[in-house]
Amino acid sequence: MFTRPGSNSGIKRSLVLAGGGMRVAYQAGVIMALEEAGLEFFHVDGTSGGIFNIGMLASGLKPKSMAENWRTLKLTHFISGRRAKNYLKPLKMQGYADADNIRDKVFPHLGIDIQQIQSGAHANATFNVCNFSQKSIEAIPCALAKEEHLIAGVSLPIFMPALKIDNNWYSDAVWIKDANLMEAVNQGAEEIWLVWAIGNTPTYLSGAFHQYVHMIEMSANGGLLEEYKQIKMFDQLHPERKPTKLYVIKSPIPLPLDPDFFFNKVNARELINMGYKHAKEYLLSKNDNGENLDHTATSCSEPSKTLSFRGVYEGGLTLGTDKVPSQYFVYHRYSKFSDEQEIVESYSSIAIEGHLKETALFDHQISIEKENKIPYQIIKGSFLKNGETHTLTTKQKLSGPWEIIFGLGFKSISIQIIDQKGKVALEGTLYQSLSNRLKSWYFTSLTTVSGSGTGIKGKFNMFKDFVAYGI
């Protein structure tokens, strides 16, 4: 997936991973799709949360291993409180948490190895940090990267303290820029592939938390607009080379925010599956000339309401005369827009014991069929096994909203897998335990632009419309 600087292997591409808090598990799914597409990058660059993924790449991890490490990472590893006496003076604290767990738990679990990074053997990587003492951005190359640089790069002011390195104070770079496109240009990139997780929404929402998120959005997107100007100027000053192309992979509607991740409204698996599917779709539909260097490059649609919920199904699929233990994970997003448009999205992955490690699906096609007046949701998707495309079709009864609320809906799902030769490889029915059904309801998320109408009544009405969607 990576070439060395100075090699003549074709187009010089730079992979730029922007921040986005813990939502950057999304990027691992994107990177899996880019690897499958055969894209090669001579340079990778990370800012803020993107540093976690750049750190894994520069440590030599493969994309599938990155995804597995994100899936199995415990959320509690991100939480590391300071000494109790510090909280007696909350207005004088540098940060409300410290970096101990990032250093001792998160980095080791993700496989981030500073010695491997410093060797430069796996990727030509740069890590962006804010030099607070000089109020500037520094792109630290592998050979000069210290563990403290990586930790400082994810130390968001207020939440974590700045770190002093070689007589200068360093922190997260997001307030200056969240993606260092000019570093890619300076490295000689002809194409920049930006993975964007921050969002770029049009509406200014109420509430202190939303406004904090807006501040980050403004800083991140404002920094990008300045980068675009610099890239255009650079291209004008270097007419001997082709204009720099920018490709942006992002979620079509805003990704769930960090509190949703903390409170299990969305998890790393679901973010990975989103990133994988979005990247596969982007690769099929992208403009060969790249994105316009303006605000539209990162903009996303804003639903007035979005209902999100998951399903976890387990059991055995039939392979010949054998029952093979299998798991199927699905995450649904049902969105309504102010113009009365509706969208249902499904993101899924499957694991088959002894045959297939957990693998994300793409190319989901959703339809509704009726049998004896009962609606069934049909989802057809594809996945790759040993380079071959398999088709997976699910069929599930659409229960009523009251059944869903009381954990009586979505009990089972029928699955059929067709191999590349058109033969049935596996089929059968998987079941969702009562515990998983109740958890699904408990962790169901409903967000609205107004911030109101998200209680039980609102969820009931959205589930009712979800069940009726497509009928």
Side-chain angles (χ1 to χ4, degrees):
M1 189 173 182
F2 299 106
T3 59
R4 303 308 302 162
S7 66
N8 297 314
S9 58
I11 298 171
K12 297 183 74 175
R13 298 185 184 93
S14 179
L15 176 63
V16 176
L17 303 184
M22 291 173 297
R23 291 170 290 172
V24 294
Y26 175 88
Q27 296 172 346
V30 172
I31 294 168
M32 286 196 298
L34 296 178
E35 181 188 48
E36 288 176 0
L39 293 179
E40 292 189 331
F41 299 89
F42 85 105
H43 168 247
V44 293
D45 180 89
T47 306
S48 194
I51 284 175
F52 290 116
N53 290 310
I54 293 294
M56 285 190 273
L57 289 170
S59 298
L61 272 72
K62 300 297 182 184
K64 286 186 178 180
S65 296
M66 294 170 60
E68 181 60 22
N69 289 352
W70 274 115
R71 289 188 199 106
T72 55
L73 179 64
K74 294 180 179 179
L75 279 178
T76 53
H77 287 178
F78 281 101
I79 303 170
S80 182
R82 308 190 73 180
R83 293 180 179 178
K85 66 179 183 180
N86 290 316
Y87 296 99
L88 298 176
K89 298 179 179 179
L91 298 181
K92 294 187 177 182
M93 294 174 67
Q94 248 196 31
Y96 289 97
D98 62 31
D100 290 353
N101 276 4
I102 299 288
R103 185 193 311 273
D104 300 333
K105 295 181 179 180
V106 174
F107 279 5
H109 183 92
L110 293 180
I112 295 174
D113 185 327
I114 194 64
Q115 291 183 335
Q116 289 293 324
I117 292 171
Q118 290 171 344
S119 74
H122 307 290
N124 170 32
T126 45
F127 303 86
N128 295 296
V129 289
C130 169
N131 183 326
F132 175 80
S133 300
Q134 299 178 14
K135 308 300 184 291
S136 63
I137 294 290
E138 292 183 14
I140 309 295
C142 284
L144 301 180
K146 300 178 181 179
E147 188 176 58
E148 287 80 3
H149 286 125
L150 273 62
I151 293 172
V154 297
S155 294
L156 193 64
I158 296 178
F159 295 101
M160 290 175 62
L163 273 70
K164 195 170 187 180
I165 308 171
D166 300 330
N167 297 319
N168 285 321
W169 287 95
Y170 288 87
S171 70
D172 194 311
V174 68
W175 294 113
I176 300 178
K177 63 175 65 175
D178 198 41
N180 197 347
L181 304 189
M182 279 306 299
E183 176 61 25
V185 172
N186 292 334
Q187 294 259 352
E190 299 164 318
E191 290 184 3
I192 301 174
W193 287 71
L194 170 63
V195 186
W196 192 251
I198 282 282
N200 183 357
T201 54
T203 306
Y204 195 84
L205 302 178
S206 301
F209 176 73
H210 283 298
Q211 289 170 37
Y212 181 82
V213 172
H214 290 337
M215 285 191 285
I216 293 179
E217 275 192 36
M218 286 187 285
S219 296
N221 286 284
L224 269 184
L225 294 176
E226 292 302 313
E227 294 266 274
Y228 296 157
K229 292 178 183 177
Q230 293 178 46
I231 291 172
K232 291 175 182 177
M233 185 179 297
F234 179 91
D235 288 342
Q236 290 174 358
L237 294 173
H238 296 83
E240 73 281 0
R241 54 167 274 167
K242 294 180 180 179
T244 307
K245 291 183 181 180
L246 173 69
Y247 298 97
V248 181
I249 299 175
K250 62 190 179 186
S251 175
I253 68 174
L255 290 174
L257 298 173
D258 276 358
D260 292 319
F261 196 95
F262 263 121
F263 294 110
N264 202 25
K265 304 289 186 179
V266 68
N267 59 36
R269 165 180 290 111
E270 292 149 2
L271 289 165
I272 290 164
N273 293 346
M274 283 186 200
Y276 180 74
K277 181 182 175 184
H278 293 161
K280 298 287 269 190
E281 292 170 346
Y282 185 81
L283 289 165
L284 286 175
S285 63
K286 70 178 178 64
N287 185 331
D288 289 340
N289 294 320
E291 306 292 338
N292 293 328
L293 296 180
D294 59 31
H295 72 280
T296 62
T298 58
S299 64
C300 51
S301 301
E302 185 176 64
S304 55
K305 297 179 181 180
T306 298
L307 177 75
S308 305
F309 63 101
R310 67 171 59 98
V312 178
Y313 300 85
E314 300 172 302
L317 295 179
T318 301
L319 177 65
T321 58
D322 298 328
K323 284 275 191 179
V324 184
S326 305
Q327 291 179 302
Y328 177 71
F329 307 92
V330 63
Y331 179 77
H332 300 285
R333 285 202 299 186
Y334 171 51
S335 299
K336 287 185 170 187
F337 295 81
S338 56
D339 61 0
E340 298 186 357
Q341 180 185 5
E342 298 173 276
I343 295 177
V344 170
E345 307 163 87
S346 291
Y347 304 93
S348 58
S349 55
I350 188 165
I352 305 170
E353 188 175 297
H355 296 270
L356 185 72
K357 290 185 177 180
E358 185 170 345
T359 300
L361 279 81
F362 60 96
D363 192 25
H364 293 74
Q365 300 170 39
I366 304 170
S367 60
I368 302 294
E369 293 181 2
K370 275 191 173 183
E371 292 184 10
N372 299 321
K373 298 183 179 180
I374 298 174
Y376 288 84
Q377 184 187 60
I378 312 297
I379 304 178
K380 182 180 288 187
S382 301
F383 67 89
L384 294 178
K385 179 184 179 184
N386 300 326
E388 294 187 348
T389 302
H390 289 58
T391 302
L392 185 150
T393 303
T394 66
K395 181 178 180 181
Q396 182 174 45
K397 177 184 173 183
L398 286 174
S399 305
W402 283 118
E403 291 179 281
I404 296 169
I405 288 172
F406 289 109
L408 301 175
F410 301 125
K411 293 180 181 178
S412 63
I413 194 165
S414 298
I415 290 180
Q416 184 182 69
I417 297 174
I418 307 293
D419 65 21
Q420 192 158 290
K421 297 177 181 178
K423 296 181 179 180
V424 176
L426 295 105
E427 60 183 347
T429 301
L430 302 182
Y431 298 89
Q432 187 168 211
S433 67
L434 177 60
S435 173
N436 280 334
R437 279 179 269 146
L438 292 174
K439 287 178 183 177
S440 175
W441 164 251
Y442 182 76
F443 292 117
T444 291
S445 173
L446 174 59
T447 58
T448 65
V449 169
S450 66
S452 61
T454 59
I456 278 201
K457 183 179 179 181
K459 290 178 181 178
F460 175 87
N461 289 331
M462 283 292 282
F463 269 116
K464 183 175 67 175
D465 292 343
F466 172 82
V467 171
Y469 177 83
I471 298 177

